[in-house]
Amino acid sequence: MDIELLYWGRSWGKLSKHGKRKFEYHPYCQLEICCAGHLLMTTGDGKFVLRSGDMLLLPPGTGHYVTYPDETNKFYSLKFEASTAPAHATLLLNNTLTQWCINSLNFCHPADARYAMPITNSNREIVEGVLAACMKRFCADEEKHRLNEPDIFKKIRDAVLSSGEALNVESCAERLNMSAVQLNYQFSKALKEYKLPVEKYSVKKLIDQAILHQIDRYLDFTDFSLSMIASQLKFNNVYTFSRYYKRLTGISPVKRRHQK
């Protein structure tokens, strides 16, 4: 797995307990590691409480903000690019891996250093090694989760990916030979059966994730213009396409391609 460290730092103590309370978006991964106390991270996928030894991964484009209700908190924050990342914000509870990560970061982080740390040849190798180990675990957990997810999830993704275009709920249902009402009913039934949170999953969200996957492949591996990508995916025009991408990721497709 390819990892490129962009930022890493450590903070503690009396930070504003209310945080910014405004969603932020960025085109790279973010890893929050709680070393002491606790943090509250609010994302588009739900709210997560991080306690000592817990870590939270935010994939690219995940809206989020953090609050600090505990003045004894200590935590690391790392921003980086990764060749592979899970689709959703994921919490990993305190275990031997998270403790190893904290110890490894402490090793190359001066005890009194706070906030942003310079990235040097010596610490880059250690920090990127830590991130690679974490990402392999997060991706493995997501794959395990996918193998145990409702069959209707896979059918929706396959319908979008096989169509090669930006479907909506109605057109996705049509490709699955059912009505939109039937699709939503089967989806809701599957959520209850698998005891999945309604606020985290929806037919629309799964369709959007599959469409974003297609767009990112075009941006990363072709020289197609934005107009051509919009045409391939059957958006009405390039402006609709760009607004759609920015609404879901927080950045424009032009900026996403430039950064890659």
Side-chain angles (χ1 to χ4, degrees):
M1 179 179 294
D2 296 328
I3 299 288
E4 182 181 356
L5 177 65
L6 303 176
Y7 165 92
W8 73 301
R10 182 175 65 170
S11 297
W12 65 82
K14 296 182 179 180
L15 300 172
S16 170
K17 67 170 57 179
H18 300 298
K20 294 183 178 180
R21 293 193 178 276
K22 181 179 179 182
F23 276 103
E24 296 181 352
Y25 299 85
H26 48 62
Y28 40 77
C29 296
Q30 180 170 328
L31 185 67
E32 296 293 312
I33 306 176
C34 184
C35 304
H38 72 284
L39 315 171
L40 175 61
M41 180 71 77
T42 302
T43 78
D45 291 327
K47 293 184 177 182
F48 300 89
V49 178
L50 284 75
R51 294 182 171 83
S52 180
D54 298 345
M55 62 171 63
L56 177 69
L57 174 70
L58 302 175
T62 303
H64 63 280
Y65 65 83
V66 63
T67 52
Y68 312 96
D70 188 342
E71 292 186 354
T72 67
N73 66 72
K74 294 182 181 180
F75 63 95
Y76 280 107
S77 183
L78 303 97
K79 298 177 174 63
F80 59 100
E81 291 188 340
S83 55
T84 305
H88 299 287
T90 307
L91 180 66
L92 186 60
L93 298 179
N94 183 3
N95 60 34
T96 54
L97 173 62
T98 64
Q99 288 299 324
W100 172 80
C101 293
I102 292 172
N103 291 337
S104 298
L105 294 176
N106 286 340
F107 176 77
C108 55
H109 198 301
D112 59 346
R114 192 173 184 182
Y115 304 125
M117 278 289 294
I119 300 174
T120 65
N121 290 334
S122 59
N123 65 34
R124 177 185 290 277
E125 183 176 2
I126 295 175
V127 178
E128 289 185 346
V130 168
L131 292 172
C134 292
M135 292 301 287
K136 287 178 181 178
R137 172 63 182 271
F138 281 118
C139 290
D141 285 351
E142 183 187 52
E143 182 61 24
K144 181 179 179 181
H145 172 73
R146 281 200 175 192
L147 292 174
N148 296 319
E149 71 181 5
D151 187 57
I152 191 67
F153 282 29
K154 300 168 187 175
K155 289 182 178 179
I156 290 171
R157 291 194 192 95
D158 289 345
V160 177
L161 296 175
S162 62
S163 73
E165 61 184 85
L167 301 181
N168 55 30
V169 176
E170 288 73 20
S171 55
C172 181
E174 186 177 344
R175 291 190 68 87
L176 295 174
N177 297 314
M178 62 179 76
S179 68
V181 173
Q182 290 172 320
L183 176 57
N184 282 313
Y185 171 77
Q186 288 196 21
F187 191 86
S188 297
K189 184 179 178 181
L191 292 184
K192 292 180 181 178
E193 181 181 346
Y194 281 75
K195 298 180 179 179
L196 298 173
V198 177
E199 64 276 8
K200 185 175 179 180
Y201 297 96
S202 72
V203 175
K204 181 67 166 61
K205 284 183 178 180
L206 283 182
I207 291 174
D208 285 339
Q209 289 166 12
I211 293 172
L212 283 178
H213 177 80
Q214 294 184 93
I215 294 173
D216 286 341
R217 298 292 78 76
Y218 277 118
L219 294 175
D220 292 346
F221 303 117
T222 76
D223 294 325
F224 289 1
S225 67
L226 297 188
S227 295
M228 185 176 293
I229 297 174
S231 177
Q232 289 286 325
L233 295 175
K234 294 184 171 54
F235 281 89
N236 291 334
N237 53 59
V238 69
Y239 304 107
T240 301
F241 164 73
S242 296
R243 286 198 301 271
Y244 172 86
Y245 190 85
K246 187 171 184 179
R247 176 172 60 82
L248 293 178
T249 66
I251 62 170
S252 69
V254 172
K255 188 172 183 179
R256 167 66 161 72
R257 172 172 270 174
H258 176 71
Q259 290 173 334
K260 293 298 287 186

